[in-house]
Amino acid sequence: MTSDPTETIAAITRRAAEDYARVLDELIDLVTIPSVSNASFDPAHLSTSAHAVADLLRDAGLDSARVVTATTADGRVSRPAVLAHRPGPDGAPTVLLYAHHDVQPPGETADWSIDDPFIPERRGERLFGRGAADDKAGIMAHVGALRALGDDLPVGVTVFVEGEEEIGSPTFHDFLTQYQDDLAADVIVVADSTNWAIGTPSLTTSLRGMAQVEVTVTAAHHAVHSGVFGGPSLDAVTLASRLIATLHDDDGSVAVGGLHAVENDLVHYDEAEFRRGAGLVDSLRLAGTGSIASRLWSKPALAVIGLDATSVARSSNTLIPACTFVLSLRVAPGQDPREAADMLVAHLTAHAPFGAEVAARITEAGPGFDGSERTEALDAAEWALAQAWGSAAVHQGMGGSIPFISDLKQVFPDAQILVTGVEDPDSRAHSADESLHVGEHAKAVLAEALLLARLGGIA
Ligand SMILES: [Zn+2]
């Protein structure tokens, strides 16, 4: 390859374009393997898909590609993953490319507009099939990018394709520590997110953390007649409701003291689009203050996600003595979710209504991710995306968390993590009629090739 960056970019662009039909054919082949990681499905398909991915990587020049598993301290064996490595020139950085080859269960076939979720069909610009986007498109972005660079690959590359992301990566941390030396990298590219819109690429640079707290409000030692005892003493559901009502201000902002909240004015998230996506009734006013993007991505959110009380069918004239509910707390990126959950527990006990007994315990806590720090790798990614799409990348957040990202951050604290997209807002990952926008995917492949070229200093 030439040493002129402009010519190098043109050559990579041409090679990626010429190769893309093959990328798509191979993606279709991968989608036909029903590699569902959910325990009620046949695990043999996961092995088949892992070996298919290893073959693709070997063919793309990573001779060491192999199927591996990790074993946890308590003896659990991970589902098959694929590891491959190709060293770079002396002094070149190493880039870890992540994707996952397992998929969600297909759900009801009747809900799909194609005959079989594992027989992909192309209609116009979209390829339909389970895993066509999430995340077999991510695997093929890596394969296509590596092939576009071929022997000119200017960086060391490690590819890690996991086989259990869709069930929450249960052995991910063990995997990272067991293969820590193999996986060590300067930059990590996670091709498993979504782009902002058709025609607009994005980097997912912020993820909220999360915590769950289970709360029991006790008013009495046992149930009593609501006529005989009602009046001087309130029932536990009413007391729990009063407690829950203290969690938000009148405008709907979370009222728990000490929680971080950051404004995001960089991204315009359209209110009508939000309302449509959330399925809100027309009369419902939105809660909180600031931009929609901040309320979704960089401010806390708190919801009651379950409540045990007497059902309507079983109701009688009885004062309910105790009530248990579960709170789901979303935490701004950067705040320790355990610290935030402790603040929530302190708020709950301090606001015990009418002196009711309030017992609260943290049942789950997972950190968020803040990848907005200006680094060379982030600059390179923005450049590559803009080059491939012809429009600037949006820095988007996600209100939910991607648990394995925090594991990566924990095991490789110095690596810069870039979360890139292969999906678009119409991809319907996890749902019926999952699909990939083929034109956008070709751009994702090119962007990744250009990113590797720039990280290696040839573009
Ligand atoms: Zn995924």
Side-chain angles (χ1 to χ4, degrees), residues 163-444:
E164 51 189 31
E165 196 276 341
E166 298 294 7
I167 51 166
S169 307
T171 68
F172 198 79
H173 199 273
D174 299 272
F175 196 99
L176 293 188
T177 43
Q178 202 165 325
Y179 294 96
Q180 189 161 0
D181 294 342
D182 299 292
L183 294 167
D186 304 290
V187 178
I188 301 174
V189 178
V190 175
D192 188 23
S193 190
T194 179
N195 285 311
W196 185 245
I198 303 290
T200 308
S202 67
L203 287 162
T204 301
T205 51
S206 96
L207 301 169
R208 285 194 292 200
M210 66 91 67
Q212 278 183 22
V213 175
E214 189 181 295
V215 190
T216 297
V217 175
T218 305
H221 298 296
H222 53 79
V224 291
H225 195 289
S226 61
V228 177
F229 292 97
S233 70
L234 296 176
D235 66 275
V237 178
T238 298
L239 291 165
S241 306
R242 293 180 74 94
L243 178 56
I244 290 167
T246 68
L247 296 171
H248 294 89
D249 291 337
D250 287 345
D251 69 7
S253 300
V254 176
V256 177
L259 297 184
H260 294 186
V262 181
E263 287 297 338
N264 178 342
D265 298 322
L266 297 174
V267 177
H268 174 72
Y269 196 125
D270 183 59
E271 177 172 339
E273 196 180 312
F274 170 78
R275 299 187 73 95
R276 203 164 38 244
L280 303 183
V281 298
D282 290 344
S283 58
L284 190 78
R285 282 179 288 120
L286 297 189
T289 58
S291 70
I292 307 252
S294 348
R295 284 183 256 178
L296 279 175
W297 303 336
S298 56
K299 291 186 173 187
L302 194 47
V304 180
I305 57 168
L307 187 144
D308 285 346
T310 309
S311 68
V312 170
R314 288 172 173 273
S315 58
S316 65
N317 287 320
T318 302
L319 292 179
I320 296 173
C323 170
T324 298
F325 56 94
V326 178
L327 294 170
S328 166
L329 174 64
R330 299 287 169 174
V331 182
Q335 183 163 33
D336 175 2
R338 241 176 218 274
E339 169 196 276
D342 284 338
M343 290 165 176
L344 174 57
V345 169
H347 174 105
L348 290 162
T349 43
H351 288 78
F354 290 87
E357 282 179 19
V358 174
R361 66 183 183 99
I362 301 163
T363 53
E364 209 182 314
F369 165 65
D370 181 357
S372 61
E373 196 198 333
R374 270 282 135 219
T375 60
E376 230 173 279
L378 191 66
D379 290 344
E382 285 184 338
W383 170 83
L385 291 167
Q387 194 75 29
W389 259 269
S391 65
V394 170
H395 281 235
Q396 68 177 4
M398 258 166 68
S401 30
I402 306 180
F404 72 79
I405 301 257
S406 41
D407 283 329
L408 282 171
K409 199 75 215 166
Q410 209 185 335
V411 180
F412 301 111
D414 297 328
Q416 167 79 24
I417 301 177
L418 301 168
V419 183
T420 59
V422 287
E423 295 165 28
D424 66 85
D426 288 328
S427 285
R428 300 195 198 171
H430 299 197
S431 305
D433 271 349
E434 173 178 351
S435 70
L436 176 76
H437 190 287
V438 171
E440 295 290 285
H441 186 239
K443 291 174 185 165

